[in-house]
Amino acid sequence: MEKNLMDNPFYAKAMEFLQDNDLFDLEAGKHIIDGDNLWLNIVDSKLKTTQEARLEVHDKYIDIQIPLSCEETFGIKPRSECTQPVGEMDPVKDILFYADPVEETVTVKAGEVITFEPDTAHAPLIGEGTIHKAIFKVRAEY
């Protein structure tokens, strides 16, 4: 049986929050929506080259990323094909980085949404300059 993200109640709640709120009106920082199940980070970050960007994965959370001020490029790779972990999964921060090179990218325009489930490694923040963006952290539950 194929999983559907909308079957995840926290993902559905994130989509509802997105429809009901203007992300540009939110201050930078962490916005709790449903405790440890769902929150939103509004961040300002410096963009990197493809060579500087690092692939990352999460076990417990789905990332919903939305560039707000400009387009953003993401490296993507199936987690099962990543072979060069840097250390081990940090269970507190729910993140593991890989040293695998970024070989495939996707570019997302300002205001567009991209979702990364635990089975997909992603390397965010590829581009030039700085970016204002939103990152929902959604407990992975189906």
Side-chain angles (χ1 to χ4, degrees):
M1 185 171 126
E2 188 172 315
K3 64 184 175 183
N4 179 343
L5 280 172
M6 290 306 286
D7 290 340
N8 176 326
F10 309 117
Y11 186 88
K13 191 179 272 193
M15 291 299 102
E16 183 178 307
F17 185 93
L18 192 54
Q19 287 181 330
D20 295 344
N21 295 275
D22 184 346
L23 299 181
F24 283 100
D25 290 342
L26 299 176
E27 292 183 21
K30 186 174 183 177
H31 301 266
I32 304 294
I33 301 167
D34 187 347
D36 289 341
N37 299 315
L38 173 63
W39 71 89
L40 168 63
N41 284 322
I42 302 291
V43 299
D44 294 291
S45 298
K46 185 177 182 305
L47 296 169
K48 310 169 185 177
T49 66
T50 303
Q51 293 74 26
E52 294 171 321
R54 295 194 305 168
L55 289 163
E56 63 184 61
V57 296
H58 312 289
D59 284 343
K60 300 175 193 166
Y61 291 94
I62 297 165
D63 272 8
I64 302 171
Q65 301 205 21
I66 308 162
L68 298 172
S69 61
C70 61
E71 72 179 24
E72 178 180 4
T73 298
F74 296 84
I76 54 170
K77 186 173 188 172
R79 183 178 187 163
S80 61
E81 295 178 14
C82 293
T83 60
Q84 300 174 46
V86 178
E88 295 184 7
M89 172 63 70
D90 180 328
V92 174
K93 295 181 179 178
D94 187 43
I95 195 163
L96 169 63
F97 291 101
Y98 285 92
D100 297 54
V102 172
E103 297 169 340
E104 183 179 347
T105 62
V106 61
T107 298
V108 179
K109 294 180 179 158
E112 291 182 342
V113 176
I114 189 165
T115 300
F116 299 106
E117 294 185 69
D119 63 354
T120 304
H122 55 286
L125 300 173
I126 298 172
E128 294 182 8
T130 58
I131 190 168
H132 184 69
K133 68 183 284 187
I135 306 163
F136 285 91
K137 299 299 282 187
V138 180
R139 183 174 300 282
E141 180 177 297
Y142 300 95

